[in-house]
Amino acid sequence: MNPVVSVRDLELAFGERRLWDGLSFDLARGEFLAVLGPNGTGKTSLLRILLGLLEPTAGAVEVAGRAPKASRARVGYVPQQHAFDRDLPLRGRDLVRFGLDGNRWGVGRLGREGHARIDRALDDVGATGYADAPVGRLSGGEQQRLRVAQALVSDPKLLLADEPLLSLDLSYQAVITGLFDEHRRRAGTPVVFVTHDVNPVLSIVDRVLYLAPGRWAIGTPDTVMTSETLSELYGTEVDVLRVRGRIVVVGTPDDQHVHHIDDGHGH
Protein backbone atom coordinates (compact mmCIF):
# COMPACT_ATOMS: atom_id res chain seq x y z
CA MET A 1 0.00 0.00 0.00
CA ASN A 2 1.33 3.43 -0.93
CA PRO A 3 2.32 5.69 1.98
CA VAL A 4 0.13 8.69 2.76
CA VAL A 5 3.21 10.89 3.12
CA SER A 6 6.50 10.40 1.30
CA VAL A 7 9.48 12.63 2.13
CA ARG A 8 12.74 12.17 0.22
CA ASP A 9 16.10 13.88 0.82
CA LEU A 10 14.49 17.02 2.17
CA GLU A 11 16.70 20.02 2.88
CA LEU A 12 15.69 23.28 4.51
CA ALA A 13 17.99 26.28 4.70
CA PHE A 14 17.42 29.97 5.34
CA GLY A 15 20.35 31.78 3.80
CA GLU A 16 23.55 30.28 5.20
CA ARG A 17 21.68 28.54 8.03
CA ARG A 18 20.84 24.92 7.21
CA LEU A 19 18.23 23.43 9.52
CA TRP A 20 18.40 19.90 8.11
CA ASP A 21 19.21 17.95 4.98
CA GLY A 22 18.72 14.40 3.73
CA LEU A 23 15.49 14.11 5.72
CA SER A 24 13.57 11.07 4.46
CA PHE A 25 10.59 9.14 5.83
CA ASP A 26 7.26 7.60 4.80
CA LEU A 27 4.07 7.80 6.81
CA ALA A 28 1.61 4.91 6.57
CA ARG A 29 -2.15 4.95 7.17
CA GLY A 30 -2.96 5.31 10.86
CA GLU A 31 0.62 6.03 11.92
CA PHE A 32 1.32 8.52 14.74
CA LEU A 33 4.58 10.47 14.31
CA ALA A 34 5.71 12.85 17.06
CA VAL A 35 8.09 15.63 15.98
CA LEU A 36 10.37 16.77 18.81
CA GLY A 37 13.32 19.11 19.24
CA PRO A 38 14.34 22.51 20.57
CA ASN A 39 13.07 25.82 19.22
CA GLY A 40 14.41 26.93 15.85
CA THR A 41 15.02 23.49 14.34
CA GLY A 42 12.26 23.66 11.72
CA LYS A 43 9.39 21.72 13.33
CA THR A 44 6.70 24.18 12.24
CA SER A 45 8.48 24.63 8.89
CA LEU A 46 8.14 20.88 8.27
CA LEU A 47 4.37 21.17 8.77
CA ARG A 48 4.27 24.14 6.40
CA ILE A 49 6.12 22.07 3.78
CA LEU A 50 3.58 19.25 4.19
CA LEU A 51 0.80 21.84 3.75
CA GLY A 52 2.38 23.21 0.58
CA LEU A 53 2.87 26.62 2.19
CA LEU A 54 6.68 26.49 2.16
CA GLU A 55 9.01 25.17 -0.54
CA PRO A 56 11.92 23.11 0.75
CA THR A 57 15.43 24.05 -0.36
CA ALA A 58 15.79 20.62 -1.95
CA GLY A 59 14.07 17.24 -1.97
CA ALA A 60 10.65 15.84 -2.84
CA VAL A 61 7.40 15.55 -0.86
CA GLU A 62 4.14 13.81 -1.71
CA VAL A 63 0.92 13.85 0.30
CA ALA A 64 -1.74 11.34 -0.74
CA GLY A 65 0.19 10.76 -3.97
CA ARG A 66 0.25 14.42 -5.02
CA ALA A 67 2.25 17.58 -4.44
CA PRO A 68 1.45 19.08 -1.01
CA LYS A 69 -0.18 22.18 -2.51
CA ALA A 70 -2.57 20.00 -4.52
CA SER A 71 -3.49 17.96 -1.43
CA ARG A 72 -3.94 20.87 0.99
CA ALA A 73 -7.74 20.63 1.04
CA ARG A 74 -7.40 17.01 2.20
CA VAL A 75 -5.18 17.84 5.18
CA GLY A 76 -6.53 18.68 8.63
CA TYR A 77 -4.37 21.21 10.48
CA VAL A 78 -4.36 22.33 14.12
CA PRO A 79 -2.11 25.43 14.24
CA GLN A 80 -0.36 26.79 17.32
CA GLN A 81 -2.84 28.32 19.72
CA HIS A 82 -3.58 32.00 19.72
CA ALA A 83 -6.01 33.80 21.99
CA PHE A 84 -9.35 34.81 20.51
CA ASP A 85 -10.69 38.27 21.30
CA ARG A 86 -13.31 37.90 24.03
CA ASP A 87 -15.86 39.83 21.98
CA LEU A 88 -15.22 38.10 18.66
CA PRO A 89 -18.66 37.45 17.09
CA LEU A 90 -17.77 33.86 16.18
CA ARG A 91 -19.49 30.79 17.61
CA GLY A 92 -17.85 27.45 18.17
CA ARG A 93 -19.65 25.88 15.22
CA ASP A 94 -18.55 28.77 12.97
CA LEU A 95 -14.92 27.99 13.79
CA VAL A 96 -15.45 24.32 12.93
CA ARG A 97 -17.16 25.28 9.67
CA PHE A 98 -13.94 26.92 8.44
CA GLY A 99 -12.61 23.37 8.16
CA LEU A 100 -15.20 22.72 5.46
CA ASP A 101 -15.29 25.95 3.47
CA GLY A 102 -12.49 28.11 4.87
CA ASN A 103 -10.37 27.55 1.75
CA ARG A 104 -13.03 29.09 -0.51
CA TRP A 105 -13.65 32.79 -1.00
CA GLY A 106 -16.85 33.99 0.60
CA VAL A 107 -19.19 31.95 2.76
CA GLY A 108 -21.98 30.37 0.77
CA ARG A 109 -24.90 28.32 1.98
CA LEU A 110 -24.05 25.05 3.63
CA GLY A 111 -26.15 22.04 2.71
CA ARG A 112 -27.74 19.56 5.07
CA GLU A 113 -24.76 17.20 4.78
CA GLY A 114 -22.36 20.03 5.69
CA HIS A 115 -24.34 20.92 8.81
CA ALA A 116 -24.49 17.23 9.76
CA ARG A 117 -20.72 16.92 9.42
CA ILE A 118 -20.19 19.93 11.68
CA ASP A 119 -22.58 18.50 14.29
CA ARG A 120 -20.81 15.13 14.07
CA ALA A 121 -17.34 16.70 14.49
CA LEU A 122 -18.56 18.74 17.48
CA ASP A 123 -19.99 15.59 19.04
CA ASP A 124 -16.81 13.61 18.35
CA VAL A 125 -14.71 16.06 20.38
CA GLY A 126 -17.32 16.58 23.12
CA ALA A 127 -17.97 20.23 22.22
CA THR A 128 -21.71 20.11 21.45
CA GLY A 129 -22.55 21.83 24.75
CA TYR A 130 -20.77 25.06 23.76
CA ALA A 131 -21.12 24.91 19.98
CA ASP A 132 -23.15 28.14 19.95
CA ALA A 133 -21.09 30.02 22.53
CA PRO A 134 -18.71 32.83 21.48
CA VAL A 135 -15.26 31.25 21.09
CA GLY A 136 -13.58 34.16 22.93
CA ARG A 137 -15.48 33.28 26.13
CA LEU A 138 -14.37 29.64 26.17
CA SER A 139 -11.44 28.16 28.07
CA GLY A 140 -8.20 27.23 26.31
CA GLY A 141 -9.10 23.54 26.50
CA GLU A 142 -12.56 24.14 25.04
CA GLN A 143 -11.11 26.23 22.21
CA GLN A 144 -8.60 23.49 21.47
CA ARG A 145 -11.35 20.87 21.19
CA LEU A 146 -12.99 23.11 18.59
CA ARG A 147 -9.71 23.43 16.66
CA VAL A 148 -9.45 19.63 16.58
CA ALA A 149 -13.06 19.41 15.36
CA GLN A 150 -12.20 21.94 12.64
CA ALA A 151 -9.29 19.74 11.54
CA LEU A 152 -11.46 16.58 11.52
CA VAL A 153 -14.65 17.90 9.91
CA SER A 154 -13.44 17.51 6.31
CA ASP A 155 -12.53 13.83 6.84
CA PRO A 156 -8.85 14.53 6.04
CA LYS A 157 -6.29 12.11 4.62
CA LEU A 158 -3.60 13.52 6.96
CA LEU A 159 -3.69 15.31 10.33
CA LEU A 160 -1.05 17.89 11.29
CA ALA A 161 -0.87 19.44 14.76
CA ASP A 162 1.53 22.17 15.89
CA GLU A 163 2.04 22.13 19.67
CA PRO A 164 -1.64 21.36 20.35
CA LEU A 165 -1.00 20.73 24.07
CA LEU A 166 0.55 24.11 24.96
CA SER A 167 -1.15 25.84 27.91
CA LEU A 168 -3.40 22.86 28.60
CA ASP A 169 -3.53 21.14 31.99
CA LEU A 170 -2.86 17.40 32.21
CA SER A 171 -6.49 16.34 32.00
CA TYR A 172 -7.06 18.34 28.82
CA GLN A 173 -3.78 17.10 27.37
CA ALA A 174 -5.11 13.56 27.80
CA VAL A 175 -8.41 14.53 26.16
CA ILE A 176 -6.74 16.12 23.11
CA THR A 177 -4.22 13.31 22.55
CA GLY A 178 -7.06 10.82 22.98
CA LEU A 179 -9.08 12.55 20.25
CA PHE A 180 -6.21 12.26 17.78
CA ASP A 181 -5.53 8.65 18.77
CA GLU A 182 -9.16 7.58 18.47
CA HIS A 183 -9.59 9.21 15.07
CA ARG A 184 -6.42 7.77 13.53
CA ARG A 185 -7.40 4.28 14.73
CA ARG A 186 -10.98 4.58 13.48
CA ALA A 187 -10.36 6.41 10.19
CA GLY A 188 -6.77 5.35 9.45
CA THR A 189 -5.64 8.97 9.23
CA PRO A 190 -1.92 9.38 10.02
CA VAL A 191 -0.93 12.11 12.46
CA VAL A 192 2.15 14.39 12.50
CA PHE A 193 2.19 15.83 16.01
CA VAL A 194 4.71 18.58 16.88
CA THR A 195 5.33 18.76 20.62
CA HIS A 196 8.06 19.91 23.01
CA ASP A 197 7.32 16.98 25.33
CA VAL A 198 6.90 13.37 24.28
CA ASN A 199 5.39 12.20 27.56
CA PRO A 200 1.70 12.97 26.92
CA VAL A 201 1.82 10.93 23.68
CA LEU A 202 4.34 8.29 24.76
CA SER A 203 1.71 5.56 25.06
CA ILE A 204 0.28 6.12 21.56
CA VAL A 205 3.20 7.30 19.40
CA ASP A 206 4.59 4.92 16.76
CA ARG A 207 7.73 6.86 15.82
CA VAL A 208 9.59 9.98 16.86
CA LEU A 209 11.30 12.42 14.49
CA TYR A 210 13.82 14.37 16.54
CA LEU A 211 15.10 17.57 14.92
CA ALA A 212 18.31 18.90 16.50
CA PRO A 213 20.39 21.83 15.21
CA GLY A 214 21.56 20.67 11.76
CA ARG A 215 20.81 16.99 12.45
CA TRP A 216 17.88 14.61 12.82
CA ALA A 217 16.93 11.08 13.82
CA ILE A 218 13.78 9.02 13.31
CA GLY A 219 12.63 5.76 14.86
CA THR A 220 10.64 4.32 17.74
CA PRO A 221 10.77 6.20 21.05
CA ASP A 222 12.97 3.43 22.46
CA THR A 223 15.58 3.94 19.73
CA VAL A 224 15.51 7.76 19.45
CA MET A 225 14.90 8.86 23.03
CA THR A 226 18.17 7.46 24.39
CA SER A 227 21.26 9.07 25.87
CA GLU A 228 23.35 7.68 22.97
CA THR A 229 21.13 9.02 20.16
CA LEU A 230 20.54 12.48 21.63
CA SER A 231 24.20 12.87 22.64
CA GLU A 232 25.15 12.11 19.03
CA LEU A 233 22.59 14.58 17.66
CA TYR A 234 23.73 17.40 19.93
CA GLY A 235 27.43 16.57 19.88
CA THR A 236 27.53 16.80 23.66
CA GLU A 237 26.63 14.55 26.56
CA VAL A 238 22.87 14.33 27.05
CA ASP A 239 21.19 12.10 29.63
CA VAL A 240 17.83 10.47 28.96
CA LEU A 241 16.24 9.10 32.12
CA ARG A 242 13.14 6.97 32.49
CA VAL A 243 11.29 7.71 35.70
CA ARG A 244 8.00 5.92 36.48
CA GLY A 245 7.07 5.60 32.83
CA ARG A 246 8.15 9.13 31.93
CA ILE A 247 11.10 10.34 29.88
CA VAL A 248 13.28 13.10 31.32
CA VAL A 249 15.96 14.67 29.09
CA VAL A 250 18.78 16.51 30.86
CA GLY A 251 21.73 18.39 29.43
CA THR A 252 20.65 19.66 26.01
CA PRO A 253 22.65 22.84 25.25
CA ASP A 254 19.57 25.07 25.07
CA ASP A 255 17.81 23.45 28.05
CA GLN A 256 14.57 23.69 26.05
CA HIS A 257 13.96 20.03 26.29
CA VAL A 258 13.75 18.99 29.93
CA HIS A 259 10.55 17.04 30.51
CA HIS A 260 8.78 17.41 33.83
CA ILE A 261 5.31 16.00 33.27
CA ASP A 262 3.41 14.36 36.11
CA ASP A 263 1.73 11.00 35.79
CA GLY A 264 -1.92 10.78 34.87
CA HIS A 265 -1.91 11.11 31.09
CA GLY A 266 -3.04 7.59 30.35
CA HIS A 267 -5.76 6.90 27.82
Side-chain angles (χ1 to χ4, degrees), residues 124-125 145 148 152 174-184:
D124 284 348
V125 303
R145 286 195 195 218
V148 174
L152 297 180
V175 166
I176 297 301
T177 56
L179 291 173
F180 280 100
D181 189 38
E182 191 276 332
H183 184 80
R184 61 108 177 204

Side-chain angles (χ1 to χ4, degrees), residues 77-94:
Y77 177 46
V78 181
Q80 287 195 15
Q81 292 183 58
H82 59 276
F84 291 106
D85 189 294
R86 275 185 60 80
D87 298 316
L88 184 70
L90 189 73
R91 301 171 302 167
R93 69 174 60 252
D94 300 327

Side-chain angles (χ1 to χ4, degrees), residues 8 26 32 36 57 69 80 82-83 104 174 228 236 261:
R8 288 289 171 272
D26 288 338
F32 196 113
L36 298 169
T57 308
K69 198 171 290 186
Q80 287 195 15
H82 59 276
R104 293 197 288 272
E228 293 76 20
T236 188
I261 295 295

Side-chain angles (χ1 to χ4, degrees), residues 36-67:
L36 298 169
N39 293 338
T41 52
K43 300 188 299 293
T44 296
S45 294
L46 177 61
L47 296 188
R48 289 174 55 79
I49 289 170
L50 294 175
L51 281 165
L53 297 173
L54 178 66
E55 282 292 320
T57 308
V61 182
E62 283 190 354
V63 175
R66 306 162 74 189

Side-chain angles (χ1 to χ4, degrees), residues 30-245:
E31 191 172 5
F32 196 113
L33 176 70
V35 182
L36 298 169
N39 293 338
T41 52
K43 300 188 299 293
T44 296
S45 294
L46 177 61
L47 296 188
R48 289 174 55 79
I49 289 170
L50 294 175
L51 281 165
L53 297 173
L54 178 66
E55 282 292 320
T57 308
V61 182
E62 283 190 354
V63 175
R66 306 162 74 189
K69 198 171 290 186
S71 294
R72 192 183 303 160
R74 308 175 80 190
V75 176
Y77 177 46
V78 181
Q80 287 195 15
Q81 292 183 58
H82 59 276
F84 291 106
D85 189 294
R86 275 185 60 80
D87 298 316
L88 184 70
L90 189 73
R91 301 171 302 167
R93 69 174 60 252
D94 300 327
L95 184 66
V96 175
R97 177 176 173 165
F98 288 145
L100 278 183
D101 58 18
N103 60 349
R104 293 197 288 272
W105 288 105
V107 180
R109 289 181 61 81
L110 202 60
R112 183 180 300 172
E113 169 60 17
H115 285 294
R117 290 173 79 162
I118 291 171
D119 288 340
R120 199 158 53 240
L122 286 162
D123 185 56
D124 284 348
V125 303
T128 304
Y130 43 87
D132 294 303
V135 292
R137 304 297 173 97
L138 300 176
S139 73
E142 289 167 341
Q143 291 178 4
Q144 200 65 333
R145 286 195 195 218
L146 291 169
R147 289 189 182 94
V148 174
Q150 182 191 59
L152 297 180
V153 71
S154 63
D155 191 24
K157 297 292 184 186
L158 171 66
L159 276 171
L160 307 177
D162 195 356
E163 296 277 14
L165 307 182
L166 279 182
S167 325
L168 299 184
D169 62 28
L170 283 176
S171 61
Y172 257 123
Q173 288 185 11
V175 166
I176 297 301
T177 56
L179 291 173
F180 280 100
D181 189 38
E182 191 276 332
H183 184 80
R184 61 108 177 204
R185 291 179 188 278
R186 176 169 49 83
T189 312
V191 178
V192 180
F193 194 97
V194 169
T195 179
H196 68 284
D197 182 11
V198 73
N199 286 299
V201 295
L202 197 53
S203 63
I204 60 176
V205 70
D206 295 304
R207 285 189 295 164
V208 168
L209 170 61
Y210 198 109
L211 299 176
R215 309 190 71 176
W216 57 272
I218 190 167
T220 65
D222 284 343
T223 58
V224 173
M225 302 304 293
T226 66
S227 301
E228 293 76 20
T229 299
L230 294 195
S231 295
E232 187 178 333
L233 285 179
Y234 281 101
T236 188
E237 194 143 331
V238 174
D239 290 315
V240 178
L241 314 174
R242 278 168 170 75
V243 184
R244 289 188 301 146

